[in-house]
Structure formats: C-alpha cells, structure tokens
Amino acid sequence: MIRKLIQSQIWLSLKFDYLLPERFRIDGNSDFRRKVLPGLIGDGMTIWDLGVGSRPFVSPEEKARRNLRVVGLDVSQAELDAAPQGAYDEAICADLTQFNGRGDADLVICQSVLEHVRDTNKALAALSSVLKPEGKAAIFLPSRNAVFARLNVFLPESWKRRLLFAFFPDKAKGHDGFPAFYDRCTPRD
C-alpha cells in the first residue's frame, strides 16, 4: 500500500513538473551525463572516473572506439569488480580523501561522489593531483540544501537505508544507499 502511494506521488510530481517552464525541470544528474560530459571527451584522452565503481561513464565500446584510457577509482573493491568487463584500463581501490594522483588525466569525472566524502577539501586536492596541468575536471554533486539531502544528514544511517530500500526496493540491488555527509556541498561552498 505504501509503495503504491509513493509511486502515485512520483507520478503526480512528474505531471506537475510539466506545468513548469523547462528550465525548472532539469534533472541535474541526467543533464550532466547527457549534455556536459559528452562534449568534454576527446579521442585518445586519459580519463579518471572517480567514485563510480560499478557504473563508469564511458562504456567499454566507446572506450575502444575512441582510443581512451580509463582509470576507475573507488573506495569499494566490490564496486570496481562489478563494472562492465573492459570498462577500466586500471582500477584503483582507494579513499579519495587520502589519494595522491600522478597528474596524467586529461579529464576527471566526479559525479555524485563528493557528497559521500567526509572532507571535501581533501577530495578536491586528490582530484587536482590526478589532473594534467591543462586537464579538466567535470564535477556534479547534489546540494546539501535539497530536502532529501537534509533528511540524509539528520537521519541515522540504518534508518536511511531501511527507508530507501522499503520505498524503492530496486535500489537495494545495486549502487545506492552509500553514506552521505554533504561536507561543503552547497552552491556557496
């Protein structure tokens, strides 16, 4: 019954969204993947995909077709092991806040990762250490000011996971439910 109620609210919210001007209907995460990242990737690049483990942005097919070198870095070896075969040329299991790169990345992709680290300044220093001097970083993170983020910060971790997986059972199968801290994750920060 509760799941049906939630699904009806999601449906109703989506219908309401279409009454708003298009600029208010942008899903930041999807927009980042569809519009921002593709324009930053050039043939022959070295790309570091930070913190996405099992879901790298570049598919193994695109990687081969465009002669890309892709390095994946994640705090979870299980996440890295769950990535599609051939997705990474190198997979590094490390805490981003403790990592020191080698300055070889043309592009660093950091999507929905920084809200999961306890010290964003250290994570940004590590991210910077991965980049070549002329390299670019593409960073997306949800704002701590969002209602879901506020709940995420205040609820105990066990409650968050229980609620998330109760309301969205498909999320329990994969990449969701990691602890989030939202350190310095506001537009002002």
Side-chain angles (χ1 to χ4, degrees):
M1 172 94 163
I2 292 175
R3 283 189 191 137
K4 285 185 179 180
L5 176 65
I6 289 172
Q7 290 302 322
S8 71
Q9 295 304 303
I10 291 170
W11 178 84
L12 188 61
S13 294
L14 290 172
K15 294 299 179 192
F16 176 77
D17 285 353
Y18 282 101
L19 298 174
L20 299 171
E22 187 174 346
R23 71 179 188 274
F24 293 117
R25 292 186 273 141
I26 295 172
D27 176 309
N29 195 37
S30 297
D31 196 61
F32 183 76
R33 290 183 73 81
R34 285 185 294 108
K35 295 181 180 173
V36 175
L37 290 177
L40 295 174
I41 297 174
D43 294 348
M45 284 182 139
T46 295
I47 298 172
W48 281 60
D49 207 341
L50 305 180
V52 293
S54 65
R55 299 191 305 188
F57 177 73
V58 178
S59 70
E61 297 78 21
E62 181 180 8
K63 182 172 87 80
R65 186 179 74 252
R66 299 189 69 180
N67 192 32
L68 301 172
R69 174 169 161 59
V70 179
V71 178
L73 183 140
D74 198 285
V75 71
S76 167
Q77 187 63 51
E79 282 290 313
L80 290 166
D81 293 344
Q85 188 70 26
Y88 299 125
D89 294 294
E90 183 180 357
I92 301 170
C93 182
D95 180 337
L96 183 59
T97 63
Q98 304 299 314
F99 188 73
N100 190 18
R102 48 186 183 244
D104 64 341
D106 297 298
L107 175 65
V108 168
I109 299 171
C110 187
Q111 179 181 6
S112 297
V113 174
L114 294 180
E115 70 272 20
H116 297 285
V117 301
R118 289 186 188 272
D119 189 330
T120 303
N121 286 339
K122 287 182 179 178
L124 288 172
L127 186 150
S128 177
S129 76
V130 169
L131 284 168
K132 287 180 177 177
E134 299 297 318
K136 294 181 181 177
I139 302 170
F140 172 83
L141 65 147
S143 174
R144 179 186 181 101
N145 297 337
V147 173
F148 72 85
R150 288 291 186 190
L151 286 173
N152 209 340
V153 169
F154 294 115
L155 289 176
E157 193 62 37
S158 61
W159 288 24
K160 291 186 280 191
R161 293 180 64 79
R162 209 172 299 136
L163 288 170
L164 176 68
F165 299 149
F167 293 142
F168 303 101
D170 57 312
K171 301 263 185 200
K173 298 174 189 165
H175 191 78
D176 296 289
F178 295 106
F181 307 103
Y182 294 95
D183 174 55
R184 301 179 48 84
C185 292
T186 65
R188 184 178 63 198
D189 291 335

